[in-house]
Amino acid sequence: MKKVSLILAVGCSLTLQAQMADNSKKQEKIKYPETRKGTVTDNYFGTTVADPYRWLEDDRSEETAAWVKAQNKVTFGYLDKIPFRDEIKNRMQELWNYEKISAPFKEGNYTYYYKNNGLQNQSVLYRKDKNGKEEVFIDPNTFSKDGTTSLGGVSFSKDGSLVAYSISEGGSDWRKVFVMDAATKKLTGETLTDVKFSGISWKGNEGFYYSSYDKPEGSELSAKTDHHKLYFHKLGTPQKEDKIIFGDSEATKYRYVGGYVTEDQRYLVVSAANSTSGNKLFIADLTKPGAKLVTITDDFDSDSSVIDTQGNTLLIFTNYKAPNNRIVTVDVAAPQQQNWKDLIPETENVLSASTGAGYIFAEYMQDAVSVVKQYDLKGKPVRDIKLPGVGTAGGFGGKKEDKVLYYSFTNYISPGTIYSYDPKTGKSDMYQKPKVDFNTDNYVSKQVFYTSKDGTKVPMIITHRKDLVLDGTNPTILYGYGGFNVSLTPSFSIANAVWMENGGVYAVPNLRGGGEYGKKWHDAGTKTQKQNVFDDFIAAAEYLIQNKYTSADYLAISGGSNGGLLVGATMTQRPDLMKVALPAVGVLDMLRYHTFTAGAGWAYDYGTAEDSKEMFDYLKGYSPVHNVKKGTAYPATMVLTGDHDDRVVPAHSFKFAAMLQENQAGDNPVLIRIGVNAGHGAGKSVAQTIAEYSDAQAFTLYNMGLKPKKK
C-alpha cells in the first residue's frame, strides 16, 4: 500500500474572521440520497455483527451505480454553491503551471528524461541523442482523451535497444505492457494484459520477467487476488505461452512475488511474501542452463534484497538482526544468512541504500531528515555528502559505468531541486531548479517533539509563515499516515505552498507504524498496538491546540489509504477535536478489508478478524465503519475515493459515508466525492488532481467559516 497524500491548497489570501455562524445560517439542510439498509450479519467468535450496507460492496450492480451517481450529485451540488470554489481552482491552476523536468538517465545511445510543461495531464518521456537533438519518446497524453490513462513502469534492455512499458487505465492496478524498438519507436510483439503489482526486468534482448495474478472470478475491481506468479515473456511469442518461473504450485503460493535480473545480467533474484513486511529471497545463476533457484532466506522474519553483485559476491540490503537495516556480503555459493558478513553495519539511524558509478550511497534518516554517506564497494567510507540544507535527499543511483549521478533535494519550503553529483570529487552542481513563485525566506519549518498518551516522544514538523501569530485562529492541516513502515519525510508541494502563503499551518507528525525509527517503530503501531498510531495523531492535534497554532474550530485532519483509516478512527474516537475531516481512499471496514483484492497482505500491520477473538475484538473496537454512533456530532466530513480504486476498494468509503449520513447529529455536512476514472492515486491526471485539491480546500474553508480575501 502506498500512501496517497491529500495536501490541501488555497488559492488566495484568507480572512480569519469568525464567520462560522454566518456560514451555518447560509447552508441549507442537506438532503442525502436514501441508502437502503440490508439485513446481512456475520458471526465472529459468537458475536453477531450487522453489515447493513454490504450491498454497496457489489461494484457491478445497477443499484450501487445509482447510489454513486446520487451521492456525487449531492456532493457536487454542495460544492457548486461555495462562492469561492472557482477562485481557488483558478489560483491552483495558475501556480501549478510551471515546467517540471526529471533527472536524466542514459539508455543505449540516448539520454532520457520526463518533462511536463505545467498543466499536461501526464508527464512526457523525452530523449536526446548524442548531438543534443530532442524528441518525444512516449507521450501518455495521447493514450486517452481525458488524460486518465497513465504511463507506469518503463524498463530498457541492457543495451538500450528495446523498451517495455506498462500503462494504467483509469488508475487501475491492472496494467497492460507494450514492447517497443527504441530506435524506431515502433511497437513490436503483442500486448501483455492483466499484469498486476509487477516490475519489468530484461534478460538480455531475449525477453523479460513480470508478475501477475490469475484473473479473478467476479469483479476485477474488488475480487480477492492472493496467488502471485512470476513469468518470463519471450519476445516474438504470445503471452499464453509465457513460462511460469515461480509460483506454479501450492508450495510456492505467495501473495506478492517479484523477480529482477542483476545489473551484470548474471543472476535472477526472486522475492516472495505473503504480507507487506517480511520476504523470502531466492537466486539463480542465469549463465548456467537449467539452474535452479537457491534459497537465500527462508522465512518472513525480515526484509532482504540483493542490491549489487561483484562476481560471485552478493551485496544484500537487510533488516535481519538489524531493525535499522544494514548491508552485508555473501558468496553466492553459500548465500544463507549464517554466512553473511557486515559491509555497512547497522547504526542508530535508519538506513536506505543505492548504488551507482561503482559506489554505495547510504542515506540515513535522522529524526526524519536525510544524512547521506558515500562508501566504496568494500565498505570503506569515501565522504559525507554535503546537502543543500535540512530536508530529504533522494537518488544517487545509477549504472556502474555512469560518470555523473543525480539526486534531488527538497523540504516543506524548498521546491524539489535536482543536483548533478561527481562521485570522484564529491562536487554537487545545481542541474534543474523549478521556477516556482514562492519566497522560501518568508517561511519557517521547524521540528518539535511532543508526548503521546503513553509517554512516547513523537517528532512533528510544523511549517508556516514567519509572521504567523499564535492566537489559536490559524487554519491548520494535520496530515498523517502511520503504517506499513512508510516514512513521511519533508517534501515540497505547490498546494502546501499556497496554503502557507495565505496564513495556513501545515503539520506532519511521524507517527508510530511508520519507518522513521526502523522496524521497532513500525511494529509499535501494528496489530494490537494500532491504537498507538491514533493516540499519536490525537496528541499531535492537542499539541497544536495547546500551543495556540490553531483550535478545534480551525483544525482539519487529512490522510489517504492507511492514512484514511487514521482519519476515520480519529474522527470517530475524538469528533470534538477537529472541524473538518478528509479521509481519502481509506481502509475503513477493518472486519472485511482482507476479503478484497490483495487486502489479506496487509495483515502484518492490522491482523484479521478471523485470527482470534482477541484480534476481532480489537479491530471492531476501532474500525471506523463499526464505530459511528447515532446522535454524535461528527466534524464536517468529505470522504474521497475513486471508482477504479482496486487497491483499497471504494466500498470502504461507501459504507463509511452511509453510516455517517445515517447517524450524524447537528448541521455539519457528510459528503462523499467519488472520482470518475480514478484509482488509488498513482497516475491520476493533473486535471483530476487539481479538481480534487480545490474541492477539498473549498469544502474545508467553507466549513471553517473562512473565505478568500480579495487582493
Side-chain angles (χ1 to χ4, degrees):
M1 246 166 69
K2 293 182 181 178
K3 65 177 180 182
V4 180
S5 177
L6 183 62
I7 303 171
L8 310 178
V10 144
C12 28
S13 295
L14 305 178
T15 175
L16 299 182
Q17 321 167 98
Q19 298 166 343
M20 284 182 289
D22 290 343
N23 270 0
S24 63
K25 290 174 186 175
K26 293 175 185 175
Q27 292 188 41
E28 299 174 10
K29 187 75 173 176
I30 300 173
K31 183 172 174 53
Y32 299 113
E34 184 178 345
T35 307
R36 176 177 64 83
K37 293 186 73 172
T39 58
V40 175
T41 61
D42 294 302
N43 188 288
Y44 298 91
F45 303 98
T47 299
T48 299
V49 179
D51 193 0
Y53 300 122
R54 177 74 60 87
W55 62 272
L56 285 168
E57 293 179 4
D58 186 355
D59 52 82
R60 298 183 299 171
S61 79
E62 292 183 5
E63 186 179 16
T64 301
W67 184 89
V68 167
K69 187 176 181 180
Q71 289 287 346
N72 265 347
K73 183 178 180 181
V74 170
T75 297
F76 287 102
Y78 179 96
L79 293 169
D80 285 342
K81 292 178 182 178
I82 297 176
F84 47 81
R85 179 189 180 207
D86 287 343
E87 189 176 345
I88 291 172
K89 184 176 181 181
N90 291 340
R91 178 62 170 161
M92 185 86 70
Q93 288 176 327
E94 178 185 342
L95 286 184
W96 210 284
N97 193 11
Y98 69 95
E99 187 177 67
K100 307 161 188 74
I101 300 177
S102 75
F105 55 97
K106 285 188 176 181
E107 299 290 351
N109 297 321
Y110 296 91
T111 298
Y112 293 84
Y113 50 94
Y114 292 89
K115 183 165 70 173
N116 191 305
N117 64 18
L119 292 175
Q120 288 176 289
N121 278 317
Q122 305 290 339
S123 293
V124 179
L125 182 57
Y126 286 81
R127 70 179 179 186
K128 288 182 179 178
D129 63 18
K130 292 180 178 178
N131 298 318
K133 182 183 176 183
E134 182 184 66
E135 66 175 341
V136 171
F137 186 61
I138 300 175
D139 183 358
N141 297 292
T142 64
F143 294 168
S144 62
K145 289 183 179 179
D146 61 359
T148 61
T149 299
S150 60
L151 179 63
V154 176
S155 176
F156 287 84
S157 60
K158 186 170 177 62
D159 66 3
S161 66
L162 294 165
V163 61
Y165 65 90
S166 64
I167 68 168
S168 167
E169 296 167 306
S172 173
D173 281 332
W174 292 98
R175 306 291 170 91
K176 293 177 181 176
V177 176
F178 300 85
V179 181
M180 190 162 67
D181 181 293
T184 65
K185 297 192 289 186
K186 289 184 178 179
L187 295 178
T188 176
E190 69 168 27
T191 301
L192 275 60
T193 60
D194 302 330
V195 177
K196 187 172 184 179
F197 294 159
S198 178
I200 301 170
S201 187
W202 285 87
K203 176 186 176 186
N205 290 357
E206 178 186 346
F208 54 84
Y209 297 93
Y210 70 95
S211 306
S212 197
Y213 303 90
D214 293 334
K215 204 67 175 286
E217 295 181 10
S219 169
E220 182 180 319
L221 176 67
S222 58
K224 191 172 184 177
T225 50
D226 65 353
H227 189 174
H228 217 197
K229 299 173 185 177
L230 178 67
Y231 294 87
F232 181 75
H233 176 68
K234 185 176 181 180
L235 293 192
T237 64
Q239 185 180 6
K240 64 183 179 182
E241 294 180 9
D242 289 353
K243 182 181 177 182
I244 300 178
I245 303 301
F246 187 89
D248 59 345
S249 68
E250 197 64 30
T252 57
K253 181 180 178 182
Y254 300 95
R255 290 195 184 96
Y256 306 112
V257 171
Y260 54 96
V261 179
T262 54
E263 187 179 345
D264 60 9
Q265 292 281 297
R266 179 173 170 182
Y267 302 106
L268 169 66
V269 181
V270 177
S271 172
N274 280 327
S275 185
T276 50
S277 184
N279 71 301
K280 295 184 180 181
L281 197 62
F282 309 89
I283 195 165
D285 190 337
L286 295 175
T287 64
K288 299 176 180 177
K292 301 289 186 183
L293 285 167
V294 174
T295 301
I296 299 177
T297 65
D298 195 27
D299 58 50
F300 301 121
D301 295 339
S302 59
D303 298 276
S304 302
S305 61
V306 176
I307 61 169
D308 201 3
T309 57
Q310 298 178 68
N312 294 329
T313 301
L314 308 178
L315 275 66
I316 297 175
F317 178 79
T318 184
N319 61 10
Y320 174 68
K321 293 186 176 179
N324 290 343
N325 303 323
R326 59 178 172 148
I327 298 174
V328 300
T329 59
V330 70
D331 192 299
V332 71
Q336 292 74 30
Q337 290 161 321
Q338 63 267 28
N339 300 317
W340 291 1
K341 296 178 181 177
D342 274 0
L343 184 71
I344 299 179
E346 180 189 25
T347 72
E348 62 181 6
N349 295 315
V350 179
L351 167 70
S352 59
S354 60
T355 60
Y359 294 96
I360 300 168
F361 295 89
E363 180 197 329
Y364 294 95
M365 267 190 298
Q366 191 169 317
D367 294 330
V369 299
S370 295
V371 174
V372 184
K373 299 176 183 289
Q374 181 179 345
Y375 293 84
D376 67 19
L377 292 177
K378 294 183 179 179
K380 181 183 176 182
V382 176
R383 65 177 60 88
D384 292 351
I385 297 175
K386 185 178 180 181
L387 299 176
V390 177
T392 304
F396 295 102
K399 298 182 175 66
K400 286 186 178 177
E401 64 266 23
D402 287 346
K403 305 299 183 187
V404 178
L405 301 176
Y406 297 87
Y407 69 93
S408 62
F409 178 81
T410 183
N411 57 34
Y412 290 119
I413 58 176
S414 300
T417 300
I418 298 169
Y419 294 83
S420 63
Y421 179 75
D422 184 334
K424 294 292 186 185
T425 65
K427 186 173 184 290
S428 291
D429 289 305
M430 188 180 294
Y431 175 81
Q432 176 68 31
K433 183 176 182 178
K435 296 179 176 65
V436 183
D437 184 19
F438 179 77
N439 188 349
T440 298
D441 294 338
N442 292 339
Y443 301 85
V444 62
S445 189
K446 64 180 180 181
Q447 187 174 62
V448 300
F449 288 82
Y450 65 91
T451 304
S452 191
K453 184 178 180 179
D454 65 356
T456 299
K457 296 291 184 183
V458 181
M460 173 165 60
I461 296 180
I462 307 171
T463 311
H464 54 76
R465 288 174 59 114
K466 286 181 177 177
D467 60 1
L468 187 84
V469 178
L470 298 181
D471 60 2
T473 66
N474 303 300
T476 298
I477 296 166
L478 179 64
Y479 175 81
Y481 190 75
F484 294 88
N485 203 39
V486 170
S487 301
L488 297 188
T489 57
S491 63
F492 184 80
S493 155
I494 281 291
N496 271 349
V498 179
W499 172 260
M500 296 183 296
E501 177 183 83
N502 295 296
V505 177
Y506 185 67
V508 181
N510 297 109
L511 313 172
R512 280 174 284 185
E516 291 87 352
Y517 294 103
K519 190 168 176 58
K520 290 179 181 177
W521 192 253
H522 173 208
D523 287 347
T526 61
K527 295 188 176 71
T528 55
Q529 299 188 90
K530 188 66 179 175
Q531 184 61 40
N532 287 337
V533 185
F534 313 140
D535 289 342
D536 289 355
F537 201 53
I538 290 167
E542 291 173 335
Y543 177 94
L544 293 168
I545 292 169
Q546 288 165 4
N547 287 276
K548 297 192 179 300
Y549 285 96
T550 192
S551 64
D553 287 335
Y554 294 101
L555 178 64
I557 60 171
S558 172
S561 197
N562 175 73
L565 163 62
L566 173 69
V567 172
T570 301
M571 65 178 283
T572 51
Q573 292 182 16
R574 287 293 307 276
D576 60 305
L577 199 56
M578 73 294 300
K579 182 60 182 176
V580 177
L582 297 159
V585 293
V587 188
L588 298 161
D589 183 343
M590 298 310 296
L591 300 187
R592 288 181 55 74
Y593 79 86
H594 61 292
T595 65
F596 305 116
T597 61
W602 311 335
Y604 182 92
D605 266 57
Y606 299 144
T608 76
E610 297 166 359
D611 290 345
S612 65
K613 185 177 187 305
E614 179 193 21
M615 198 68 249
F616 156 69
D617 287 338
Y618 193 87
L619 287 166
K620 185 173 181 294
Y622 75 78
S623 175
V625 165
H626 299 92
N627 283 278
V628 177
K629 295 179 174 59
K630 193 165 188 66
T632 300
Y634 291 102
T637 302
M638 186 158 71
V639 181
L640 298 107
T641 188
D643 65 354
H644 278 61
D645 190 346
D646 46 13
R647 186 84 55 85
V648 180
V649 296
H652 284 276
S653 295
F654 295 172
K655 292 163 82 171
F656 188 52
M659 290 294 291
L660 285 169
Q661 288 178 355
E662 177 194 354
N663 293 289
Q664 173 73 312
D667 296 325
N668 287 335
V670 174
L671 304 176
I672 179 168
R673 186 187 186 281
I674 304 155
V676 177
N677 281 332
H680 197 60
K684 193 175 290 184
S685 73
V686 166
Q688 287 175 313
T689 303
I690 289 175
E692 185 174 295
Y693 286 164
S694 302
D695 286 349
Q697 190 62 58
F699 177 84
T700 300
L701 292 178
Y702 191 53
N703 283 283
M704 284 182 175
L706 306 175
K707 66 179 181 180
K709 182 180 179 182
K710 300 293 182 183
K711 290 185 177 179

